[in-house]
Amino acid sequence: MLVLGGGPAGTWAAVSAAERGARVVLADKGFCGTSGSTAAAGTGVWYVDPTPTDREASMASREKLGGYLQDRRWMVRTLDLTFQQSNRLAEWGYPYPVDDHGKSQRNSLQGPEYMRLMRKRTKQAGVTVLDHSPALELLLDEAGAVAGASGLRRQKQDRWTVRAKAVVIATGGCAFLSKTLGSNVLTGDGYLMAAEAGAEFSSMEFSNPYAISPAFGSVTKTLFYGWANFTYEDGSWCCIQRRSFRDCPSPASGGRSMRGSTRPTRTSSCTCGPRNRISSCPSTAPESIRSRIVFRLRCDWKAPCVAPAAFASSTRPAQPPSPGSMPPEMRRRAN
Ligand SMILES: Cc1cc2nc3c(=O)[nH]c(=O)nc-3n(C[C@H](O)[C@H](O)[C@H](O)COP(=O)(O)OP(=O)(O)OC[C@H]3O[C@@H](n4cnc5c(N)ncnc54)[C@H](O)[C@@H]3O)c2cc1C
């Protein structure tokens, strides 16, 4: 079997196949274990205990967040595999932190640690790893079926060719324009190779959600904006928090420019609670959070995205509104 790409998808595929007796070659454009978007990032993991009530609650909450577009069969499979593979990582020695009660916390991974471990396990499983070896094209047999691939070995300045009964394309997305750390190698090569070989694509409309980011930043984590305030250029409030965009009830305003800032909605002492609940900027917060970062973004979707009635006619207040002055629905979000 030939695996193209050595991020989490590629290394897990390679390890799984090798453990089942396949002879596996993995070719990565960069150095497997350091390349791709997970290797450079912290990763939140959907790790949920397999009790039916916990699973149901978690799936229901994700369905709401995702606009009810999910397919339950995939959610169940993802939960099962995530639980199983996260526990394997623990057995392999991944240093999960423990909480105050000594329980291992398995809902996030440090990308560099994780991918270093995956490289090690891939090699231990007997997989031949070709580093700095970007695949350039798929090979087809006479019937037009994919039968291998070829590419470059950049450090040896020659080419490689591998014939294989199965080829797994795991070359990541097409995110290099985002300039996000680790995404420089994600130039959509796998998509192109698959398209050239005649593959049909599905769900591509969900493949490129670029995150909100200041133009000067290299990390496009949207997390910071979970507690940002958004206004239109005329100063009227757009939404209190990022998640409320889709709930805004007023007429459409497609194409209007908005401004956002990371000024907190409240100024009491810091409560680093769940996402969208961090409500202050103490002096210990990173400068990027404490200082007001104003950025612009276009509101290009057709759905309405203006301030709810309580704020619609106001200009931008000198201080963000206190939770007490918000309508109940928004107050709930800001608390
Ligand atoms: C800022 C950010 C935050 C994220 N946060 C989370 C999170 O919290 N939780 C979560 O689950 N996901 C998160 N993701 C998404 C997650 O990082 C990706 O879904 C995941 O890395 C995809 O894994 P992958 O193996 O498919 O691709 P990648 O990890 O991107 O790996 C692709 C690999 O393919 C290689 N490659 C590319 N082209 C070729 C080629 N032609 N030939 C050979 N090799 C090639 C690359 O070198 C790379 O090693 C985040 C992504 C970003 C950018």
Side-chain angles (χ1 to χ4, degrees):
M1 186 172 108
L2 172 63
V3 178
L4 305 179
T11 48
W12 276 111
V15 169
S16 303
E19 285 176 346
R20 285 162 181 75
R23 208 148 57 93
V24 185
V25 174
L26 183 153
D28 197 292
K29 186 185 213 168
F31 185 80
C32 169
T34 66
S35 194
S37 57
T38 288
T43 293
V45 176
W46 200 26
Y47 183 88
V48 182
D49 283 331
T51 50
T53 43
D54 286 356
R55 287 275 172 105
E56 175 55 37
S58 187
M59 284 192 284
S61 119
R62 294 293 170 121
E63 278 172 337
K64 191 172 175 209
L65 286 173
Y68 301 95
L69 292 171
Q70 296 88 337
D71 181 333
R72 275 257 167 157
R73 289 168 303 174
W74 284 107
M75 295 175 96
V76 169
R77 185 159 160 69
T78 303
L79 279 169
D80 285 344
L81 266 181
T82 305
F83 189 76
Q84 184 187 312
Q85 309 293 58
S86 300
N87 293 344
R88 285 198 83 189
L89 285 176
E91 285 163 22
W92 291 346
Y94 180 84
Y96 283 109
V98 291
D99 68 12
D100 291 345
H101 308 290
K103 188 175 178 202
S104 178
Q105 295 298 295
R106 299 188 180 171
N107 54 4
S108 77
L109 291 163
Q110 292 300 318
E113 299 292 331
Y114 170 36
M115 290 313 300
R116 185 164 48 204
L117 180 57
M118 287 310 297
R119 179 183 175 90
K120 188 170 134 196
R121 294 304 300 199
T122 303
K123 297 202 87 161
Q124 282 176 348
V127 174
T128 302
V129 176
L130 307 178
D131 291 309
H132 302 291
S133 299
L136 295 182
E137 61 179 347
L138 297 174
L139 306 177
L140 305 183
D141 65 16
E142 285 114 23
V146 174
S150 70
L152 295 175
R153 283 198 297 179
R154 292 179 57 226
Q155 292 184 319
K156 303 207 167 168
Q157 302 200 339
D158 63 6
R159 291 183 74 98
W160 59 265
T161 297
V162 173
R163 296 180 200 288
K165 289 185 180 159
V167 178
V168 174
I169 298 179
T171 51
C174 184
F176 67 105
L177 284 177
S178 72
K179 306 271 195 270
T180 305
L181 287 177
S183 295
N184 56 321
V185 286
L186 307 179
T187 45
D189 306 7
Y191 295 148
L192 179 61
M193 286 186 278
E196 286 172 345
E200 283 183 21
F201 290 64
S202 69
S203 300
M204 292 303 287
E205 64 271 38
F206 303 114
S207 73
N208 55 352
Y210 283 93
I212 296 172
S213 165
F216 51 82
S218 68
V219 176
T220 51
K221 284 276 188 186
T222 313
L223 175 69
F224 297 126
Y225 304 101
W227 60 97
N229 303 311
F230 295 90
T231 62
Y232 291 112
E233 278 186 316
D234 64 7
S236 61
W237 286 98
C238 171
C239 299
I240 294 298
Q241 290 185 328
R242 176 173 53 88
R243 281 193 190 169
S244 59
F245 275 155
R246 64 171 180 273
D247 299 331
C248 291
S250 307
S253 61
R256 281 180 72 183
S257 233
M258 292 188 295
R259 282 168 160 270
S261 95
T262 55
R263 177 174 282 192
T265 51
R266 295 166 69 196
T267 51
S268 56
S269 64
C270 175
T271 46
C272 296
R275 197 166 171 163
N276 278 9
R277 297 293 187 281
I278 299 177
S279 56
S280 71
C281 288
S283 57
T284 51
E287 182 61 29
S288 59
I289 300 177
R290 269 188 290 137
S291 59
R292 185 184 172 102
I293 301 172
V294 177
F295 60 95
R296 284 162 186 269
L297 65 159
R298 297 277 301 174
C299 181
D300 280 335
W301 52 83
K302 293 209 174 83
C305 191
V306 296
F311 302 121
S313 60
S314 68
T315 52
R316 183 164 43 145
Q319 291 296 321
S322 71
S325 67
M326 298 174 192
E329 170 60 10
M330 304 199 77
R331 202 177 309 148
R332 189 176 58 72
R333 284 196 201 98
N335 283 334

